[in-house]
Amino acid sequence: MASNQVRVRFAPSPTGFLHVGGARTALFNFLFAKKLKGTFVLRIEDTDEMRSSDQSTLQIFESMKWLGLSWDEGPDPEDPAKSKGPHAPYFQMQRVDLYRKHAEELKAKGVLYECYCSEEELDADRKHAMLEKRPPRYSKRCRHLTDEQKAKAQAQGRKAVYRFAVPTDQEVAFDDIVRERVVFPADQLEDFIVIKSSGGPTYNFCCVVDDHLMEISHVIRGDDHISNTPKQVLLYKAFGWQPPKFAHISMILGADGSRLSKRHGATGVMDFREQGYLPYAVVNYLALLGFATTDSQDIFDTDKGWDMLVEKFELERCQKSPAVFDYTKLTWMNGIYIRRLSKDQLLDAVRPYLTGAAAPVSQLKEFVALEQEKYQLLSDAPKLLDFFFTETYAYRWEELKALKIEGLEQVYQELEAECAKLVDFSCAAIEQMLKGLAKRLGKKNAHVFHPLRFAVSGRLQGPSLFHMAEALGKDKVISRLKRLALERVAAGIS
């Protein structure tokens, strides 16, 4: 690998949905690669055979595609059996032979040893350590087994794991782009497992082998991985390999200061899509979690491309302190992005939430745009626009009664007659007609406007009346006035 070639990776485990923390890690890796014209690799770490699933893998692909995080190397999202890139395969379970080969290399170097401890013995050791107020680390009881002791354990049917013999006389240190110098004294590290009793490799071992073979230059990940890093540094040293540069970004917390979880609200990327967030807003907000620009800018215009955000991003400006996920700010940001959409874009974005909305596309486009200023979520559309798509909307009679309009019956008769006479049923013509009618009847404009609004929507709040009437069209407005006349009688309102 060329010394100046930047290669980063996002390596999720397919054991569930892509959550907020994983999405931000993917985003920061993506931005760093774009910023330095490097390569962004997607690797699926599926060695947890009990919990990994194809469904979770596909959901990770879908989430990343929705966010716009395309990868340069990794599985083909359309056909995971295929890969793009020179270091295929990108699924760890398809690389097991590589791990076994490298494990044999470490065995030959004498840095791994067989451990035959049972779960019961390990559990007893943990409990004993806790009683003595010591960290519950492995006791190293198998570190110096004789051949005779090994043979005895095997005769008892015990299966060995292979542990890494952590040096006891040195500290493990590494430089971190975000956290600077990080030091782990040797007595804080236990002899960790490299090969499980099943013969399968562990996370830390696979991670090191893959990052080396895939020529990863920088490992950017959450700070929950800091405790893994000294183990990985020791493995790099044992192989004689140069470790990548590390950057551990801050944890994401809920508003109550605890680690973000489902009890705080949506945490999965696809949850945000279902709730009506735009991908641009989610990306923009994720970029602000644990990262600060030099000018404190909040909105990056990610709907227009990645250039601004890529330009602003600097790994060195990622913060150590935890980031707090603020749903209110994300929703505010989402509203800003919704208001920037063209009518065509808004219709495309809102349509999945308007199930059963039957109207010509041109009319539907006008309907959804009428309330654009009020949307915070795309999913707000059905409740704001429901009366556009049904002729059986409910009337909020208490609102009409509260107006206390004298001669309401006459107002409605005149409204129906004037609408029928109107040839040009445009916004301007409707406004002129209504104002003229109010003047002729000697009433306030509101005492003519509100009854018409109530007739066509069943409520007194909503979009601009003139635009709403124009969007509905003359025939539908008159039809709704006729329906109200019948419903009013039944409700006993005159």
Side-chain angles (χ1 to χ4, degrees):
M1 178 180 71
S3 60
N4 61 347
Q5 183 181 353
V6 167
R7 290 178 58 83
V8 295
R9 49 72 165 177
F10 175 54
S13 297
T15 55
F17 57 81
L18 180 61
H19 55 78
V20 165
R24 183 194 58 168
T25 297
L27 173 63
F28 282 17
N29 276 278
F30 175 87
L31 293 175
F32 186 71
K34 291 285 184 186
K35 176 93 173 183
L36 298 177
K37 296 179 172 52
T39 301
F40 177 47
V41 178
L42 175 63
R43 184 174 74 227
I44 303 299
E45 298 192 338
D46 56 349
T47 53
D48 187 343
E49 296 177 78
M50 295 294 292
R51 297 171 59 221
S52 296
S53 71
D54 292 340
Q55 182 180 1
S56 293
T57 300
L58 294 175
Q59 192 266 358
I60 290 170
F61 292 162
E62 185 180 6
S63 298
M64 292 183 66
K65 286 163 63 179
W66 183 69
L67 292 171
L69 302 177
S70 58
W71 51 95
D72 303 304
E73 292 180 20
D76 184 331
E78 306 303 327
D79 183 1
K82 300 178 181 177
S83 296
K84 56 178 182 178
H87 301 286
Y90 293 89
F91 287 84
Q92 285 190 328
M93 285 305 293
Q94 298 173 16
R95 300 171 63 82
V96 172
D97 288 344
L98 282 169
Y99 307 137
R100 287 174 179 160
K101 172 188 171 186
H102 284 84
E104 291 301 323
E105 182 180 334
L106 290 189
K107 289 178 188 178
K109 290 185 175 184
V111 296
L112 302 185
Y113 66 88
E114 295 156 283
C115 171
Y116 292 92
C117 293
S118 66
E119 283 298 323
E120 292 76 17
E121 289 169 335
L122 294 173
D123 188 52
D125 285 348
R126 280 191 290 267
K127 290 177 180 177
H128 185 66
M130 292 173 72
L131 284 173
E132 295 185 347
K133 297 183 179 180
R134 293 184 289 106
R137 300 191 185 97
Y138 176 60
S139 65
K140 304 182 183 180
R141 70 167 75 198
C142 292
R143 186 158 175 166
H144 301 292
L145 291 181
T146 64
D147 290 341
E148 182 180 355
Q149 289 171 318
K150 292 177 186 178
K152 182 178 178 181
Q154 292 166 6
Q156 293 172 348
R158 298 193 181 204
K159 291 186 177 180
V161 300
Y162 278 86
R163 292 182 180 272
F164 185 93
V166 174
T168 57
D169 58 348
Q170 60 182 266
E171 63 185 19
V172 181
F174 61 93
D175 292 315
D176 190 284
I177 295 172
V178 176
R179 299 175 182 278
E180 301 174 343
R181 188 73 171 170
V182 181
V183 179
F184 283 81
D187 61 5
Q188 288 188 10
L189 302 173
E190 68 174 355
D191 288 359
F192 55 93
I193 298 173
V194 170
I195 303 296
K196 294 176 280 189
S197 59
S198 64
T202 59
Y203 161 75
N204 282 305
F205 184 66
C206 298
C207 181
V208 166
V209 172
D210 285 343
D211 284 346
H212 175 73
L213 296 181
M214 293 182 182
E215 304 180 280
I216 300 303
S217 63
H218 296 72
V219 170
I220 304 168
R221 57 191 179 190
D223 62 7
D224 54 326
H225 282 283
I226 285 181
S227 61
N228 288 318
T229 308
K231 301 173 186 177
Q232 294 171 10
V233 169
L234 287 169
L235 286 168
Y236 277 108
K237 185 175 181 180
F239 278 118
W241 298 339
Q242 179 68 33
K245 295 178 181 177
F246 294 101
H248 290 92
I249 55 183
S250 63
M251 186 181 295
I252 301 176
L253 305 179
D256 60 359
S258 64
R259 189 162 184 171
L260 190 69
S261 66
K262 277 229 175 252
R263 64 190 174 83
H264 295 107
T267 58
V269 171
M270 291 295 95
D271 290 338
F272 290 108
R273 184 177 72 174
E274 290 173 11
Q275 290 184 8
Y277 290 93
L278 288 164
Y280 328 120
V282 175
V283 164
N284 195 148
Y285 185 67
L286 288 177
L288 299 173
L289 291 176
F291 169 73
T293 60
T294 54
D295 54 7
S296 300
Q297 183 172 357
D298 276 350
I299 304 297
F300 297 118
D301 289 333
T302 54
D303 56 328
K304 298 176 183 176
W306 290 98
D307 290 350
M308 178 181 292
L309 187 48
V310 169
E311 179 186 347
K312 296 283 185 182
F313 185 76
E314 296 177 31
L315 195 55
E316 292 77 8
R317 293 193 63 81
C318 290
Q319 301 165 340
K320 299 177 186 177
S321 55
V324 176
F325 197 96
D326 185 343
Y327 290 91
T328 300
K329 184 168 184 178
L330 170 61
T331 303
W332 163 79
M333 193 172 286
N334 197 61
I336 289 177
Y337 275 105
I338 289 176
R339 288 187 283 281
R340 290 178 173 182
L341 298 176
S342 68
K343 286 184 178 181
D344 287 327
Q345 290 171 326
L346 181 63
L347 177 58
D348 288 342
V350 164
R351 229 170 181 172
Y353 306 92
L354 297 175
T355 55
V361 171
S362 58
Q363 190 179 45
L364 197 58
K365 181 165 62 176
E366 296 304 317
F367 286 169
V368 298
L370 287 174
E371 292 284 67
Q372 187 166 4
E373 290 300 312
K374 295 181 181 177
Y375 296 140
Q376 291 297 305
L377 301 169
L378 298 171
S379 54
D380 290 339
K383 59 180 178 284
L384 290 172
L385 303 170
D386 58 347
F387 58 88
F388 278 116
F389 309 115
T390 178
E391 296 304 312
T392 57
Y393 49 86
Y395 294 108
R396 300 176 184 174
W397 295 114
E398 69 282 358
E399 294 183 9
L400 186 62
K401 289 178 182 178
L403 292 176
K404 298 180 180 179
I405 299 174
E406 293 185 10
L408 185 61
E409 177 70 28
Q410 181 190 8
V411 171
Y412 273 121
Q413 289 175 351
E414 294 285 354
L415 278 171
E416 187 176 334
E418 290 298 316
C419 284
K421 289 190 294 186
L422 201 59
V423 177
D424 174 20
F425 210 75
S426 66
C427 181
I430 293 167
E431 181 179 8
Q432 185 178 1
M433 177 270 287
L434 292 175
K435 287 180 177 178
L437 177 59
K439 185 175 182 180
R440 179 162 62 81
L441 295 177
K443 295 187 178 298
K444 298 177 182 178
N445 285 342
H447 286 183
V448 173
F449 293 0
H450 287 327
L452 180 59
R453 177 187 292 280
F454 189 84
V456 298
S457 69
R459 65 189 75 168
L460 296 182
Q461 300 297 323
S464 159
L465 172 62
F466 318 124
H467 289 91
M468 179 168 60
E470 180 184 43
L472 284 167
K474 179 177 178 178
D475 291 345
K476 191 165 284 191
V477 168
I478 293 173
S479 171
R480 293 186 176 196
L481 282 165
K482 290 181 181 297
R483 178 200 165 199
L484 180 68
L486 298 173
E487 298 279 352
R488 245 181 40 249
V489 172
I493 298 176
S494 60

